[in-house]
PDB file of all heavy atoms in Angstrom:
ATOM      1  N   GLN A 148     -25.051  37.114  25.051  1.00 96.00           N
ATOM      2  CA  GLN A 148     -26.085  38.143  25.147  1.00 96.00           C
ATOM      3  C   GLN A 148     -27.205  37.691  26.087  1.00 96.00           C
ATOM      4  O   GLN A 148     -27.727  38.491  26.872  1.00 96.00           O
ATOM      5  CB  GLN A 148     -26.639  38.441  23.754  1.00 96.00           C
ATOM      6  CG  GLN A 148     -25.610  39.050  22.818  1.00 96.00           C
ATOM      7  CD  GLN A 148     -26.049  39.000  21.361  1.00 96.00           C
ATOM      8  OE1 GLN A 148     -27.052  38.398  21.025  1.00 96.00           O
ATOM      9  NE2 GLN A 148     -25.263  39.635  20.491  1.00 96.00           N
ATOM     10  N   GLU A 149     -27.546  36.412  25.991  1.00 96.00           N
ATOM     11  CA  GLU A 149     -28.584  35.877  26.880  1.00 96.00           C
ATOM     12  C   GLU A 149     -28.155  35.964  28.342  1.00 96.00           C
ATOM     13  O   GLU A 149     -28.954  36.323  29.217  1.00 96.00           O
ATOM     14  CB  GLU A 149     -28.889  34.428  26.515  1.00 96.00           C
ATOM     15  CG  GLU A 149     -29.915  33.783  27.439  1.00 96.00           C
ATOM     16  CD  GLU A 149     -30.024  32.285  27.246  1.00 96.00           C
ATOM     17  OE1 GLU A 149     -30.219  31.855  26.085  1.00 96.00           O
ATOM     18  OE2 GLU A 149     -29.909  31.553  28.253  1.00 96.00           O
ATOM     19  N   LYS A 150     -26.900  35.651  28.603  1.00 96.00           N
ATOM     20  CA  LYS A 150     -26.391  35.706  29.984  1.00 96.00           C
ATOM     21  C   LYS A 150     -26.526  37.115  30.556  1.00 96.00           C
ATOM     22  O   LYS A 150     -26.972  37.299  31.701  1.00 96.00           O
ATOM     23  CB  LYS A 150     -24.929  35.253  30.021  1.00 96.00           C
ATOM     24  CG  LYS A 150     -24.305  35.240  31.408  1.00 96.00           C
ATOM     25  CD  LYS A 150     -22.884  34.692  31.351  1.00 96.00           C
ATOM     26  CE  LYS A 150     -22.263  34.606  32.742  1.00 96.00           C
ATOM     27  NZ  LYS A 150     -22.099  35.935  33.365  1.00 96.00           N
ATOM     28  N   LEU A 151     -26.172  38.129  29.771  1.00 96.00           N
ATOM     29  CA  LEU A 151     -26.270  39.498  30.248  1.00 96.00           C
ATOM     30  C   LEU A 151     -27.731  39.906  30.427  1.00 96.00           C
ATOM     31  O   LEU A 151     -28.074  40.628  31.377  1.00 96.00           O
ATOM     32  CB  LEU A 151     -25.567  40.448  29.277  1.00 96.00           C
ATOM     33  CG  LEU A 151     -25.147  41.802  29.844  1.00 96.00           C
ATOM     34  CD1 LEU A 151     -24.143  41.640  30.966  1.00 96.00           C
ATOM     35  CD2 LEU A 151     -24.576  42.700  28.746  1.00 96.00           C
ATOM     36  N   LEU A 152     -28.593  39.444  29.541  1.00 96.00           N
ATOM     37  CA  LEU A 152     -30.016  39.748  29.670  1.00 96.00           C
ATOM     38  C   LEU A 152     -30.591  39.126  30.934  1.00 96.00           C
ATOM     39  O   LEU A 152     -31.370  39.763  31.662  1.00 96.00           O
ATOM     40  CB  LEU A 152     -30.768  39.229  28.440  1.00 96.00           C
ATOM     41  CG  LEU A 152     -32.289  39.414  28.448  1.00 96.00           C
ATOM     42  CD1 LEU A 152     -32.660  40.889  28.527  1.00 96.00           C
ATOM     43  CD2 LEU A 152     -32.918  38.762  27.217  1.00 96.00           C
ATOM     44  N   ARG A 153     -30.221  37.897  31.217  1.00 94.00           N
ATOM     45  CA  ARG A 153     -30.689  37.238  32.438  1.00 94.00           C
ATOM     46  C   ARG A 153     -30.263  38.025  33.680  1.00 94.00           C
ATOM     47  O   ARG A 153     -31.051  38.226  34.611  1.00 94.00           O
ATOM     48  CB  ARG A 153     -30.123  35.817  32.521  1.00 94.00           C
ATOM     49  CG  ARG A 153     -30.813  34.784  31.629  1.00 94.00           C
ATOM     50  CD  ARG A 153     -30.094  33.453  31.791  1.00 94.00           C
ATOM     51  NE  ARG A 153     -30.635  32.377  31.013  1.00 94.00           N
ATOM     52  CZ  ARG A 153     -31.314  31.339  31.506  1.00 94.00           C
ATOM     53  NH1 ARG A 153     -31.553  31.288  32.808  1.00 94.00           N
ATOM     54  NH2 ARG A 153     -31.763  30.380  30.719  1.00 94.00           N
ATOM     55  N   GLU A 154     -28.991  38.458  33.681  1.00 95.00           N
ATOM     56  CA  GLU A 154     -28.480  39.196  34.838  1.00 95.00           C
ATOM     57  C   GLU A 154     -29.236  40.517  35.020  1.00 95.00           C
ATOM     58  O   GLU A 154     -29.570  40.906  36.148  1.00 95.00           O
ATOM     59  CB  GLU A 154     -26.990  39.475  34.658  1.00 95.00           C
ATOM     60  CG  GLU A 154     -26.117  38.223  34.710  1.00 95.00           C
ATOM     61  CD  GLU A 154     -24.665  38.510  34.380  1.00 95.00           C
ATOM     62  OE1 GLU A 154     -24.362  39.683  34.038  1.00 95.00           O
ATOM     63  OE2 GLU A 154     -23.843  37.579  34.442  1.00 95.00           O
ATOM     64  N   LEU A 155     -29.511  41.193  33.913  1.00 96.00           N
ATOM     65  CA  LEU A 155     -30.239  42.462  33.977  1.00 96.00           C
ATOM     66  C   LEU A 155     -31.649  42.262  34.521  1.00 96.00           C
ATOM     67  O   LEU A 155     -32.107  43.016  35.396  1.00 96.00           O
ATOM     68  CB  LEU A 155     -30.296  43.086  32.582  1.00 96.00           C
ATOM     69  CG  LEU A 155     -31.123  44.367  32.440  1.00 96.00           C
ATOM     70  CD1 LEU A 155     -30.501  45.505  33.224  1.00 96.00           C
ATOM     71  CD2 LEU A 155     -31.270  44.740  30.967  1.00 96.00           C
ATOM     72  N   LEU A 156     -32.334  41.254  34.030  1.00 95.00           N
ATOM     73  CA  LEU A 156     -33.696  40.998  34.488  1.00 95.00           C
ATOM     74  C   LEU A 156     -33.718  40.558  35.947  1.00 95.00           C
ATOM     75  O   LEU A 156     -34.602  40.963  36.717  1.00 95.00           O
ATOM     76  CB  LEU A 156     -34.344  39.924  33.609  1.00 95.00           C
ATOM     77  CG  LEU A 156     -34.596  40.306  32.141  1.00 95.00           C
ATOM     78  CD1 LEU A 156     -35.120  39.099  31.367  1.00 95.00           C
ATOM     79  CD2 LEU A 156     -35.577  41.468  32.040  1.00 95.00           C
ATOM     80  N   LEU A 157     -32.752  39.722  36.323  1.00 93.00           N
ATOM     81  CA  LEU A 157     -32.702  39.220  37.696  1.00 93.00           C
ATOM     82  C   LEU A 157     -32.484  40.347  38.699  1.00 93.00           C
ATOM     83  O   LEU A 157     -33.080  40.348  39.786  1.00 93.00           O
ATOM     84  CB  LEU A 157     -31.597  38.169  37.825  1.00 93.00           C
ATOM     85  CG  LEU A 157     -31.532  37.422  39.166  1.00 93.00           C
ATOM     86  CD1 LEU A 157     -32.831  36.671  39.423  1.00 93.00           C
ATOM     87  CD2 LEU A 157     -30.351  36.458  39.177  1.00 93.00           C
ATOM     88  N   GLU A 158     -31.663  41.331  38.347  1.00 93.00           N
ATOM     89  CA  GLU A 158     -31.407  42.444  39.256  1.00 93.00           C
ATOM     90  C   GLU A 158     -32.642  43.314  39.464  1.00 93.00           C
ATOM     91  O   GLU A 158     -32.742  44.042  40.442  1.00 93.00           O
ATOM     92  CB  GLU A 158     -30.255  43.307  38.731  1.00 93.00           C
ATOM     93  CG  GLU A 158     -28.886  42.773  39.062  1.00 93.00           C
ATOM     94  CD  GLU A 158     -27.803  43.829  38.951  1.00 93.00           C
ATOM     95  OE1 GLU A 158     -28.159  45.027  38.826  1.00 93.00           O
ATOM     96  OE2 GLU A 158     -26.614  43.470  38.984  1.00 93.00           O
ATOM     97  N   ASN A 159     -33.577  43.233  38.533  1.00 94.00           N
ATOM     98  CA  ASN A 159     -34.779  44.071  38.603  1.00 94.00           C
ATOM     99  C   ASN A 159     -36.042  43.229  38.738  1.00 94.00           C
ATOM    100  O   ASN A 159     -37.137  43.682  38.389  1.00 94.00           O
ATOM    101  CB  ASN A 159     -34.869  44.935  37.343  1.00 94.00           C
ATOM    102  CG  ASN A 159     -33.714  45.912  37.219  1.00 94.00           C
ATOM    103  OD1 ASN A 159     -33.753  47.001  37.755  1.00 94.00           O
ATOM    104  ND2 ASN A 159     -32.669  45.497  36.506  1.00 94.00           N
ATOM    105  N   ILE A 160     -35.888  42.033  39.277  1.00 92.00           N
ATOM    106  CA  ILE A 160     -36.982  41.074  39.287  1.00 92.00           C
ATOM    107  C   ILE A 160     -38.181  41.545  40.104  1.00 92.00           C
ATOM    108  O   ILE A 160     -39.335  41.280  39.755  1.00 92.00           O
ATOM    109  CB  ILE A 160     -36.470  39.700  39.792  1.00 92.00           C
ATOM    110  CG1 ILE A 160     -37.507  38.623  39.499  1.00 92.00           C
ATOM    111  CG2 ILE A 160     -36.136  39.757  41.281  1.00 92.00           C
ATOM    112  CD1 ILE A 160     -36.991  37.221  39.716  1.00 92.00           C
ATOM    113  N   LYS A 161     -37.937  42.294  41.181  1.00 91.00           N
ATOM    114  CA  LYS A 161     -39.042  42.704  42.059  1.00 91.00           C
ATOM    115  C   LYS A 161     -40.013  43.648  41.368  1.00 91.00           C
ATOM    116  O   LYS A 161     -41.204  43.657  41.692  1.00 91.00           O
ATOM    117  CB  LYS A 161     -38.484  43.346  43.332  1.00 91.00           C
ATOM    118  CG  LYS A 161     -37.771  42.359  44.241  1.00 91.00           C
ATOM    119  CD  LYS A 161     -37.312  43.026  45.529  1.00 91.00           C
ATOM    120  CE  LYS A 161     -36.628  42.018  46.451  1.00 91.00           C
ATOM    121  NZ  LYS A 161     -36.166  42.645  47.709  1.00 91.00           N
ATOM    122  N   GLN A 162     -39.514  44.449  40.440  1.00 91.00           N
ATOM    123  CA  GLN A 162     -40.408  45.361  39.722  1.00 91.00           C
ATOM    124  C   GLN A 162     -41.013  44.736  38.481  1.00 91.00           C
ATOM    125  O   GLN A 162     -41.912  45.319  37.864  1.00 91.00           O
ATOM    126  CB  GLN A 162     -39.666  46.640  39.325  1.00 91.00           C
ATOM    127  CG  GLN A 162     -38.503  46.418  38.358  1.00 91.00           C
ATOM    128  CD  GLN A 162     -37.901  47.714  37.878  1.00 91.00           C
ATOM    129  OE1 GLN A 162     -38.560  48.498  37.214  1.00 91.00           O
ATOM    130  NE2 GLN A 162     -36.632  47.938  38.229  1.00 91.00           N
ATOM    131  N   LEU A 163     -40.535  43.540  38.108  1.00 93.00           N
ATOM    132  CA  LEU A 163     -41.004  42.910  36.880  1.00 93.00           C
ATOM    133  C   LEU A 163     -41.970  41.757  37.121  1.00 93.00           C
ATOM    134  O   LEU A 163     -42.919  41.565  36.352  1.00 93.00           O
ATOM    135  CB  LEU A 163     -39.812  42.408  36.060  1.00 93.00           C
ATOM    136  CG  LEU A 163     -38.810  43.475  35.615  1.00 93.00           C
ATOM    137  CD1 LEU A 163     -37.634  42.822  34.888  1.00 93.00           C
ATOM    138  CD2 LEU A 163     -39.478  44.509  34.721  1.00 93.00           C
TER     139      LEU A 163
END
Side-chain angles (χ1 to χ4, degrees):
Q148 295 165 353
E149 177 191 307
K150 181 176 183 296
L151 201 62
L152 177 61
R153 283 178 180 251
E154 292 174 356
L155 175 66
L156 294 175
L157 187 60
E158 278 199 11
N159 297 274
I160 193 169
K161 291 184 179 180
Q162 63 174 296
L163 300 176

